[in-house]
Amino acid sequence: MNSNNKLILGISFVLGCLILGLCTVGAVRANRAFDRTVSVKGLCERQVKADKVIWPLAYKLGGNSLTDLYSRVSSMNAKVVDFLTSSGVPEEEISVNAPEIEDNRAVSYSNNAVYNYVVTSVVTVYSDNVDLVIELRNRVGELIEQGVPIGTAGSWANPTVFSFNGLNDIKPGMIEEATANARAAAQKFAKDCDSRLGKIKTASQGQFTISDRDSNTPYIKNVRVVTSVTYYLDD
């Protein structure tokens, strides 16, 4: 191989190394830029009114004769049903549970009980007329005046349950709002870092939660969702 060929080969080798080096540096810079991200969360909360309610009207009666107790329970249940229907609750939304009977003579710790038997009766309203049920809950004193001991069965054992079933109607708007809040936070971060917000790398909708706004108004629900979004940052 003559000297000219050697010189050309040497120059080609050097140029090749330079080009490879420049490509490598460019690739490293591109990868570093590609790895520059910001992860943010966007919150959306709304307060909505319950659209379904389960209202148990429960009471206890004590006595020594099952026949007498059954007669009294039947009479009181009729008063409860009449109170509900006359106030606008449809009969198909009312169910009368079979009475539960406790035999105090059959358990050792009840040997000193006043009554031989204690009967628990529950009349349940299942309705989407939440406003009417709220009104009637405030009027249960009318039943007590008629001799029906509503509430003696314990509200902890027979709680009123308010629920919200319209999540699908508000879900798209809430996701849009939460995502917009996340983007606003990301844009603020990018601006503070002298960068520009790029495309989305990953995104997670998050889980919707529905809870009581507070213990005093369980018919007002707080709906909440948090979205998590990761954006690329551009120079």
Side-chain angles (χ1 to χ4, degrees):
M1 181 180 294
N2 58 39
S3 59
N4 289 334
N5 289 338
K6 290 181 178 179
L7 178 61
I8 293 173
L9 182 61
I11 293 173
S12 299
F13 177 77
V14 171
L15 289 175
C17 289
L18 288 173
I19 293 172
L20 179 62
L22 291 173
C23 290
T24 302
V25 171
V28 170
R29 288 179 177 175
N31 286 334
R32 286 180 178 176
F34 192 72
D35 287 339
R36 294 179 62 227
T37 60
V38 55
S39 296
V40 292
K41 294 183 181 295
L43 169 66
C44 180
E45 288 185 303
R46 293 187 184 178
Q47 290 185 358
V48 297
K49 194 167 187 177
D51 52 19
K52 189 73 68 175
V53 59
I54 302 175
W55 178 33
L57 295 92
Y59 61 91
K60 286 182 179 288
L61 288 177
N64 297 318
S65 168
L66 282 178
T67 304
D68 177 61
L69 277 175
Y70 180 79
S71 176
R72 291 167 61 194
V73 168
S74 298
S75 174
M76 290 184 181
N77 284 347
K79 292 179 180 179
V80 174
V81 172
D82 181 67
F83 167 76
L84 295 171
T85 55
S86 63
S87 299
V89 180
E91 290 187 7
E92 59 269 21
E93 295 182 355
I94 304 170
S95 60
V96 180
N97 297 4
E100 296 182 4
I101 302 173
E102 300 174 38
D103 187 349
N104 289 329
R105 299 172 305 175
V107 290
S108 58
Y109 59 81
S110 297
N111 288 337
N112 297 323
V114 176
Y115 299 110
N116 291 335
Y117 304 101
V118 175
V119 176
T120 301
S121 182
V122 184
V123 178
T124 305
V125 176
Y126 182 73
S127 176
D128 56 7
N129 194 339
V130 175
D131 289 334
L132 177 58
V133 170
I134 292 173
E135 175 193 343
L136 295 181
R137 289 179 74 208
N138 295 327
R139 290 173 46 196
V140 292
E142 297 176 21
L143 284 171
I144 296 175
E145 289 177 350
Q146 298 180 52
V148 184
I150 295 294
T152 53
S155 58
W156 59 271
N158 300 278
T160 301
V161 178
F162 293 94
S163 59
F164 175 68
N165 301 305
L167 180 60
N168 287 337
D169 296 332
I170 64 174
K171 184 183 291 186
M174 290 189 65
I175 294 174
E176 181 180 355
E177 182 178 336
T179 303
N181 291 337
R183 183 173 182 82
Q187 287 176 328
K188 178 65 168 58
F189 182 89
K191 181 179 179 181
D192 293 341
C193 295
D194 293 326
S195 298
R196 291 181 293 105
L197 200 63
K199 295 182 179 180
I200 293 177
K201 180 181 181 181
T202 60
S204 173
Q205 171 187 301
Q207 185 175 0
F208 279 83
T209 59
I210 303 175
S211 58
D212 296 345
R213 183 183 65 179
D214 56 73
S215 59
N216 296 318
T217 56
Y219 49 87
I220 302 296
K221 301 297 181 180
N222 189 61
V223 184
R224 187 175 190 269
V225 65
V226 177
T227 60
S228 300
V229 188
T230 299
Y231 292 92
Y232 290 110
L233 292 176
D234 300 329
D235 291 332

